[in-house]
Amino acid sequence: MKILVCISNVPDTTSKINFAADNKEFDKNGVQFVINPWDEYALTRAIELKEAKGGSVTVINVGEADTEPNIRKALAIGADDAIRVNAHPKDAFFVAQQIAAVAKENNYDIILMGKESIDYNGSQVHNMVGELLSIPSVVPAFKLDMVDDTTARLEREIEGGKEVVEVKLPFVASAQQPMSEPRIPNMRGIMTARTKPLQVVEPTGAEAKSAYVNYSKPEKKGGVKMIDAENAGELITLLRNEAKVL
Amino acid sequence: MSVLVFVEGLNGEIKKSSLEAASYGNQVAKALGTSATAVAIGDVKEEALTQLGAQGISKVLFDGEQRLKQFVADAYVKVIAAAVQKEDAKVVVFSNSNIGASVGAKLAVRLNASLATNVTTLPKTEGAGFTVTRGVFSGKAFADVALTSDIKIVAIKKNSFDISSEGTGAATVESFSAGLTDADFALLPKETVMQDTSGGVLLQEAEVVVSGGRGLKGPENWHLIEDLAKELGAATACSKPVSDMDWRPHHEHVGQTGTTISPNLYIAVGISGAIQHLAGVNSSKVIVVINKDSEAPFFKAADYGIVGDAFEVVPKLIEAAKALDK
Ligand SMILES: Cc1cc2nc3c(=O)[nH]c(=O)nc-3n(C[C@H](O)[C@H](O)[C@H](O)COP(=O)(O)OP(=O)(O)OC[C@H]3O[C@@H](n4cnc5c(N)ncnc54)[C@H](O)[C@@H]3O)c2cc1C
């Protein structure tokens, strides 16, 4: 079974977010980048399936050279090889087209990625890739098992419940908790990752369909009003009469 | 040209988030000098749909095919794409729900359209442009995005827009079919399991959410959260370690790697306020924090706070909530 896992390179969850160039660009200064946490669920599940059934796990990232440390980290966690599409990820549609172009050449059985990226929070790429390849996308899945060599069984979250879906290979799925328990690379993984193949390919001529023109930050809160624990009931009155939310 | 709004149902009724989408769609239509039509699929009664008149929708296209009561992305996309064509829609409005975001992304590919999800403002349409603001970096920032294709699709963040009731008269419901075939239902779910929503409040749609963290010590104490939620008509949520330890089900977990919510009121009990937790709740309009540690970081993000032991404070809140007239 050939599995493709899409990873995005995002600011660590604890990062302070700032903008540069007159609020036109994200300021990378002092920001530590990590594999998107949702993608880690996808990556680990892919590796588990490979360990159980054989096959290979390829990771793909659409990004410039500065994403390579995290691609190597994915290799250290257990992916076999990697592809970097050498381009700035302009928008979800652009990224989806790059992934679809690579997937068309390689006939993957399963294409997995996180439910969303924690930087642009788009939740679009998985469905777009499925649509571009005319294969199903099961989104957002929290359980993925193979029924037999050609069929997978997934559980996905719907608002207020869950659905069980069976789907024939090939398909796209997005991952969320508790699909797997993300792994930390071990020493041996880190050593072997250095020599695993990381292929750099140039992007297709695809265009973006949206343009990020400006960034801003939420207004600061006015400060917290403290209520004495002895008179805790007073809070309910304030929520009704002052905040008007009850 | 026109504006098309996708309307989702749940248990026969229109979802609150779809009423928000309808109100939004009507406002966009007015700004563009056109009108808004809705397309409805799924688990919703026709009588409920006529009430969309209040949100300024005069016509609803409704495909009542039984199998559409379950979410089957391909079938949904086909119906909506046909409606876009029929109405010559240039703007399509979804709620940024699981279904809305999924269908929106597929539709964008099929129609060669621009898509923005998690949208928090009406579009700026000066000079034939179309720019919306969307939440990015998990609630830590906003981005203005210009949508450049002929057709624009927006999925609006839940609980970010008021439901208008300015419209008069009922909407007409037209039955609509996109000629779906069995092939469109290839991914019909084998099984659908709904949670016990006896409280009746869906976390993603809730106006008030009561949430518990590790400070509650164990699942046996969750009656405190549930009782307070019940009194306030709220949904319940929890922090990640709480669901990791199986004190609560995973779908209740909010935060960076859980569900993102933006209720009018979020009450956090025994939650420290780690940055990853805040990422999922920081766009709540009013945040209340109850924590026995006055140094808990959550207080910095709060509007109201009580320093105290949850086991003493919450029963007082339940008493006070009981005394409210509802
Ligand atoms: C990549 C990543 C993603 C993450 N994603 C999420 C996420 O999506 N959601 C999430 O919640 N976390 C997430 N986390 C975890 C997060 O960092 C915190 O560990 C977590 O939010 C802490 O949960 P807590 O506040 O319930 O527990 P704790 O941090 O242990 O806090 C418990 C709080 O309860 C208080 N307390 C104790 N007893 C009482 C009492 N009797 N009365 C009142 N207060 C009391 C304590 O003072 C303390 O502040 C993530 C972490 C990482 C690294």
Side-chain angles (χ1 to χ4, degrees), chain B residues 214 217 239-240 253-257 270 272 276-277 291 309-310:
Chain B
R214 198 142 60 175
K217 310 278 193 285
S239 67
K240 182 172 187 290
H253 145 212
V254 292
Q256 185 98 67
T257 48
S272 58
Q276 297 90 358
H277 184 84
N291 197 303
D309 187 333

Side-chain angles (χ1 to χ4, degrees), chain A residues 12-14 37-38 40-41 118 177, chain B residues 212-217 238-242 253-259 269-280 290-294 296-298 308-312:
Chain A
D12 175 339
T13 54
T14 59
W38 300 96
E40 289 204 46
Y41 297 114
I118 65 166
Q177 247 202 330
Chain B
R214 198 142 60 175
L216 278 154
K217 310 278 193 285
C238 68
S239 67
K240 182 172 187 290
V242 164
H253 145 212
V254 292
Q256 185 98 67
T257 48
T259 300
V269 184
I271 303 176
S272 58
I275 194 158
Q276 297 90 358
H277 184 84
L278 293 178
I290 298 158
N291 197 303
K292 70 173 184 191
D293 174 10
S294 64
F298 218 150
D309 187 333
F311 296 91
E312 286 158 27

Side-chain angles (χ1 to χ4, degrees), chain A residues 18-26 213-217, chain B residues 142:
Chain A
N18 290 306
F19 300 101
D22 198 18
N23 285 331
K24 300 269 181 294
E25 278 171 23
F26 174 64
V213 290
N214 194 53
Y215 294 92
S216 58
K217 294 215 255 180
Chain B
F142 295 103

